[in-house]
């Protein structure tokens, strides 16, 4: 049933958006049928001028202002009737909790059509092989969902596992395909063990989307399986091979390390003002002109250098809000700001009310703040004086943030990937960041860009630490880790579930341990 709210006011819209987005981790804004903002990387503010309710949305790519006339909630969508500046005819702006806006029937239809397309393409590209089966059925035991088409092609006693994803699935689904592909390969090997040898995996992704999968496949074990990657143009019915070999063509760039002392000096007045309300707040420099104020990883305010377009002068301002909403601090809302800070302090602690939205928000940022505060509790080899959190390592496709970059006492770089909840993609996401760090390290860029100043970085390849609460490590994690390249020295750390009260490692698995298990299994 739709809930409507006509005659919008700034307060009513703010409350409506806050309630709608509560707990949503993947909300997007859709206009004219296209996703225009990802609220994980964007901000919005609401204001009222001349009896009008104005919604301002912005990101690094675009900036829009819309007058909101009314709103209604329909299932997973908050639908706004808005008016563009200078236009009389209203249009529609949707806040969507789910990135994939297709109906279940449309998804099924696309997947059925894709099965027929891919079957024909496989028969052409593997002319001496037989396509045994293709399926999209749900298999919760093996973590297989309907978005991925799974199959097998065989030739006598030889076989190849096949996994494809159609062009109508979301980019996140395409990016997650290799994880499922590895699990499908492993499941096929177990199922076919007494009949034939499943030699490798054939990955098929939509045309123009292979970059991330290609980068990840470079770092899989080269002798554990034959790895093949194809891009499939469904409209042209053409399947083209993508070369996987590591030619050193990773596209990534590092940003300069921030001089935190200088940033803190620049914003000394803002820091003093906010710490006057919450002395224990965390202060993180995001750039020379921007600092963040947090309570156990929950950002509630920023101080930044703002430019006044009326006189071209720059000045310091504080903005506040939790999540995507943002308001400029002024005399009219100072009491609201103080209330928000005190509420965050009252809720955001280990014994806080677990059902409160502020307690549940951004658990990985909370875990990150706990690890950064006591890095040696995670691993005694790590040096506490050199710990960088949320290090930007951009590529052409994303603005990735490495959770934590640290250094061991032997001067070896350590990449730390954190998950507060169960996540099947933990190993390959860790590989993404490890490969970027290794790339920049090989070019001497960390020292040149101001990281680990005064220290000497070892030439040894980085260490990869994968960290998650012990009972929230996905059951498939070990399987995926077995297929990683032996060049990646990884460790899986399970921490105590009560990590909000302090990080304590309860188990540790190393790459060498898993390789020993595999060797024992083969000899048996």
């Amino acid at each position: 049933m739709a809930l409507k709210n006509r005659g919008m006011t700034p307060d009513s819209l703010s409350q409506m958006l806050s309630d709608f987005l509560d707990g949503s981790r993947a909300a997007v804004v859709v206009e004219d049928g296209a996703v225009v903002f990802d609220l994980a990387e964007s901000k919005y503010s609401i204001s009222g001028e001349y009896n009008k309710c104005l919604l301002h949305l912005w990101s690094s790519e675009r900036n829009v202002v819309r007058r909101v006339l009314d709103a209604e909630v329909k299932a997973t969508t908050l639908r706004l009737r808005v008016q563009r500046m200078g236009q009389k005819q209203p249009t529609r702006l949707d806040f969507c909790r789910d990135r994939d806006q297709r109906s279940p029937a449309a998804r099924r239809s696309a997947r059925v059509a894709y099965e027929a397309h891919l079957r024909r393409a496989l028969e052409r590209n593997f002319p001496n092989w037989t396509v045994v089966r293709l399926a999209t059925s749900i298999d919760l035991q093996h973590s297989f969902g309907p978005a991925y088409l799974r199959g097998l092609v065989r030739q006598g006693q030889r076989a190849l596992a096949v996994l494809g994803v159609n062009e109508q699935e979301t980019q996140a689904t395409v990016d997650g395909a290799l994880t499922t592909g590895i699990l499908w390969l492993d499941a096929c090997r177990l199922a076919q063990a007494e009949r034939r040898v499943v030699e490798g995996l054939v990955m098929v992704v939509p045309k123009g989307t292979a970059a991330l999968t290609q980068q990840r496949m470079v770092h899989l074990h080269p002798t554990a399986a034959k790895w093949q990657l194809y891009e499939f143009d469904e409209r042209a019915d053409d399947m083209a091979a993508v070369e996987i070999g590591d030619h050193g063509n990773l596209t990534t760039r590092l940003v300069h390390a921030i001089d935190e002392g200088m940033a803190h000096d620049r914003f000394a007045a803002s820091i003093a003002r906010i710490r006057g309300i919450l002395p224990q707040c965390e202060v993180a420099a995001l750039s020379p002109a921007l600092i963040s104020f947090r309570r156990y990883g929950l950002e509630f305010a920023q101080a930044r250098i703002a430019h006044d377009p009326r006189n071209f002068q720059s000045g310091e301002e504080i903005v506040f809000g939790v999540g995507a909403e943002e308001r400029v601090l002024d005399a009219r809302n100072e009491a609201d700001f103080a209330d928000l800070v005190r509420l965050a302090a009252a809720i955001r602690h280990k014994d806080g009310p677990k059902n409160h939205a502020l307690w549940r928000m951004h658990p990985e940022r909370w875990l990150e703040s706990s690890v950064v505060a006591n890095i040696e509790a995670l691993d005694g080899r790590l040096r506490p004086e050199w710990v960088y959190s949320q290090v930007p390592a951009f590529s052409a496709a994303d603005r990735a943030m490495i959770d934590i970059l640290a250094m061991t006492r032997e001067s070896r770089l350590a990449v730390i990937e954190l998950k507060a909840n169960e996540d099947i993609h933990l190993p390959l996401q860790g590989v993404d960041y490890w490969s970027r760090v290794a790339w920049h390290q090989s070019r001497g860029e960390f020292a040149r860009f101001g990281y680990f100043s005064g220290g000497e970085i070892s030439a040894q390849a980085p260490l990869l630490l994968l960290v998650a609460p012990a009972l929230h490590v996905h059951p498939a994690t070990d399987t995926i880790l077995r297929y990683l390249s032996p060049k990646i020295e990884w460790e899986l750390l399970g921490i105590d579930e009560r990590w909000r009260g302090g990080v304590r490692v309860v188990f540790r698995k190393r790459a060498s341990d898993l390789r020993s298990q595999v060797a024992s299994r083969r000899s048996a």
Side-chain angles (χ1 to χ4, degrees):
M1 180 178 178
L3 299 176
K4 295 191 176 183
N5 188 339
R6 295 187 177 275
M8 296 301 301
T9 67
D11 288 343
S12 64
L13 179 60
S14 179
Q15 187 61 52
M16 202 171 188
L17 273 171
S18 178
D19 293 343
F20 179 78
L21 296 174
D22 180 25
S24 176
R25 305 175 68 183
V28 294
V29 181
V30 177
E31 188 172 40
D32 297 329
V35 174
V36 289
F37 291 99
D38 179 343
L39 291 183
E41 302 172 350
S42 308
K43 292 284 189 179
Y44 73 84
S45 66
I46 300 165
S47 62
E49 298 177 14
Y50 309 107
N51 297 318
K52 297 178 181 179
C53 180
L54 300 180
L55 173 65
H56 182 192
L57 288 152
W58 68 96
S59 68
S60 58
E61 285 84 25
R62 56 179 60 89
N63 188 324
V64 304
V65 177
R66 300 287 184 264
R67 179 188 177 190
V68 181
L69 304 176
D70 60 56
E72 60 179 334
V73 176
K74 285 190 172 182
T76 60
T77 301
L78 172 60
R79 185 161 294 167
L80 306 182
R81 191 164 68 94
V82 300
Q83 198 169 33
R84 302 182 189 223
M85 299 298 109
Q87 295 187 10
K88 294 182 179 180
Q89 193 66 28
T91 58
R92 203 175 88 190
L93 190 75
D94 291 343
F95 282 72
C96 307
R97 289 198 186 105
D98 191 347
R99 295 169 188 267
D100 190 345
Q101 293 302 297
R102 296 175 297 163
S103 67
R107 295 181 198 183
R108 285 193 297 271
S109 177
R111 290 163 184 170
V112 169
Y114 178 70
E115 179 180 341
H117 283 301
L118 185 58
R119 180 180 292 275
R120 291 195 301 269
L122 289 171
E123 289 171 347
R124 286 196 309 272
N125 283 267
F126 295 85
N128 299 318
W129 296 69
T130 302
V131 180
V132 179
R133 58 173 178 169
L134 294 173
T136 57
S137 55
I138 297 175
D139 182 347
L140 297 180
Q141 180 183 354
H142 295 96
S143 302
F144 300 143
Y148 301 113
L149 184 63
R150 309 180 303 279
L152 195 73
V153 296
R154 64 176 172 82
Q155 184 187 71
Q157 300 303 306
R158 305 167 60 203
L160 293 169
V162 178
L163 186 128
V165 54
N166 73 72
E167 64 185 10
Q168 293 189 40
E169 303 295 345
T170 64
Q171 186 61 49
T173 300
V174 175
D175 291 345
L178 184 56
T179 293
T180 305
I182 293 171
L183 296 178
W184 175 238
L185 166 64
D186 199 69
C188 287
R189 284 179 162 177
L190 290 173
Q192 301 288 323
E194 297 182 1
R195 286 173 286 181
R196 55 183 59 90
V197 177
V198 181
E199 297 178 345
L201 173 67
V202 176
M203 289 289 305
V204 185
V205 297
K207 182 180 179 181
T209 67
L212 180 61
T213 303
Q214 180 188 29
Q215 291 173 14
R216 288 177 170 180
M217 292 182 86
V218 166
H219 299 291
L220 297 181
H221 200 304
T223 61
K226 295 178 180 178
W227 307 105
Q228 299 182 44
L229 176 61
Y230 292 83
E231 285 194 334
F232 184 31
D233 185 344
E234 294 180 49
R235 292 175 177 80
D237 211 21
D238 178 59
M239 199 166 92
V242 177
E243 190 175 358
I244 298 173
D246 186 3
H247 299 293
N249 59 347
L250 182 64
T251 303
T252 178
R253 64 181 178 87
L254 190 67
V255 301
H256 283 270
I258 300 164
D259 187 332
E260 294 204 7
M262 184 178 295
H264 284 216
D265 289 343
R266 171 176 283 179
F267 293 101
S270 295
I271 294 173
R273 183 178 182 180
I274 293 178
R275 280 192 164 157
I277 306 172
L278 181 59
Q280 304 87 3
C281 75
E282 302 154 18
V283 180
L286 305 181
S287 78
L290 179 66
I291 61 171
S292 171
F293 297 93
R294 304 166 182 168
R295 172 68 171 176
Y296 291 123
L298 176 70
E299 182 180 86
F300 58 83
Q302 290 184 349
R304 64 192 183 194
I305 302 299
H307 302 279
D308 190 335
R310 296 169 297 181
N311 53 26
F312 302 101
Q313 292 184 349
S314 299
E316 188 176 327
E317 72 176 12
I318 296 174
V319 295
F320 69 97
V322 172
E325 185 177 9
E326 182 178 286
R327 287 188 281 172
V328 177
L329 179 61
D330 57 30
R332 294 170 296 178
N333 56 32
E334 190 157 5
D336 293 339
F337 171 66
D339 288 343
L340 173 63
V341 176
R342 294 189 181 101
L343 179 63
I347 299 297
R348 195 81 167 178
H349 57 85
K350 66 182 181 68
D351 298 317
K354 296 178 176 57
N355 61 342
H356 197 285
L358 291 185
W359 196 91
R360 300 194 311 268
M361 288 180 73
H362 306 304
E364 282 167 17
R365 288 292 182 87
W366 192 333
L367 176 56
E368 176 192 309
S369 72
S370 299
V371 170
V372 169
N374 188 7
I375 194 78
E376 291 174 296
L378 188 69
D379 194 310
R381 294 171 294 176
L382 300 175
R383 302 175 65 166
E385 66 268 30
W386 280 321
V387 180
Y388 300 91
S389 63
Q390 293 297 302
V391 178
F394 300 156
S395 75
D398 63 18
R399 293 177 173 77
M401 294 286 186
I402 301 165
D403 284 346
I404 298 176
L405 179 63
M407 179 185 280
T408 69
R409 299 187 188 281
E410 290 74 36
S411 300
R412 183 182 187 182
L413 294 181
V415 181
I416 304 172
E417 175 68 2
L418 307 170
K419 295 294 180 186
N421 297 305
E422 189 174 283
D423 193 326
I424 196 171
H425 302 295
L426 170 62
L428 292 188
Q429 288 179 358
V431 168
D432 291 343
Y433 302 130
W434 179 92
S435 65
R436 296 184 192 209
V437 170
W439 168 273
H440 294 296
Q441 176 195 11
S442 68
R443 286 151 181 78
E445 291 184 357
F446 285 108
R448 195 161 67 247
F449 283 56
Y451 294 87
F452 307 103
S453 178
E456 184 176 343
I457 300 174
S458 167
Q460 192 174 7
L463 179 67
L464 174 60
L465 302 180
L466 305 171
V467 182
L471 300 181
H472 285 79
V473 175
H474 196 282
T477 298
D478 279 3
T479 300
I480 300 166
L481 289 171
R482 286 204 305 269
Y483 286 95
L484 296 189
S485 168
K487 293 180 180 179
I488 302 176
E489 185 179 341
W490 55 261
E491 294 186 12
L492 175 64
L493 281 62
I495 60 174
D496 192 292
E497 296 289 324
R498 298 160 294 185
W499 53 264
R500 287 177 176 85
V503 173
R504 183 173 69 88
V505 176
V506 296
F507 78 77
R508 185 186 300 264
K509 292 182 181 179
R510 295 178 172 86
S512 56
D513 300 332
L514 212 54
R515 284 195 287 270
S516 299
Q517 292 176 17
V518 173
S520 299
R521 187 180 305 167
R522 286 174 178 169
S523 62

